[in-house]
């Protein structure tokens, strides 16, 4: 697969995923803590299940939940846990 084809494949996968802005604010505190333990790790089954429910409630029932956070998603999470002055 060419580099261009790989980039297109990744773009298609990203478009099919539910946006973190839709699910992170609604994720349970317990699930957030588990995700925050290691932002590079795969998400656990319970967190993924919560994301699926959140996606359905937000009008994206066919959206793919993430298995692992992408770089921009990790950045988003970090901005959500920083103290605001």
């Amino acid at each position: 697969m060419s580099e261009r084809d790989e980039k297109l494949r990744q773009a298609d996968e990203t478009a099919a995923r539910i946006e973190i802005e839709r699910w992170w604010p609604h994720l349970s505190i317990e699930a957030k803590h588990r995700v925050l333990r290691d932002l590079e790790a795969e998400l656990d089954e319970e967190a993924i299940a919560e994301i699926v429910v959140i996606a359905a409630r937000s009008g994206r029932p066919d959206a793919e939940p993430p298995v692992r956070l992408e770089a921009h998603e990790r950045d988003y999470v970090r901005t959500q846990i920083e103290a605001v002055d």
Side-chain angles (χ1 to χ4, degrees):
M1 180 178 291
S2 73
E3 183 178 336
R4 180 180 178 277
D5 290 339
E6 178 62 19
K7 285 182 181 181
L8 288 172
R9 184 191 64 75
Q10 288 175 352
D12 285 344
E13 283 181 8
T14 299
R17 286 169 66 124
I18 183 166
E19 302 84 0
I20 193 165
E21 296 84 0
R22 288 185 184 240
W23 61 264
W24 180 260
H26 305 287
L27 199 62
S28 71
I29 296 297
E30 296 82 10
K32 285 181 180 179
H33 283 289
R34 291 192 308 271
V35 172
L36 289 168
R37 281 189 204 126
D38 185 356
L39 292 176
E40 303 280 337
E42 287 189 6
L43 302 181
D44 63 57
E45 290 180 20
E46 292 172 7
I48 292 171
E50 282 189 39
I51 295 166
V52 168
V53 170
I54 294 165
R57 288 182 183 159
S58 69
R60 298 279 316 270
D62 296 332
E64 292 289 326
V67 173
R68 182 183 307 266
L69 297 181
E70 295 180 350
H72 75 277
E73 293 169 325
R74 292 189 300 271
D75 291 342
Y76 175 84
V77 168
R78 288 183 190 107
T79 67
Q80 298 305 300
I81 59 173
E82 293 177 1
V84 177
D85 294 335

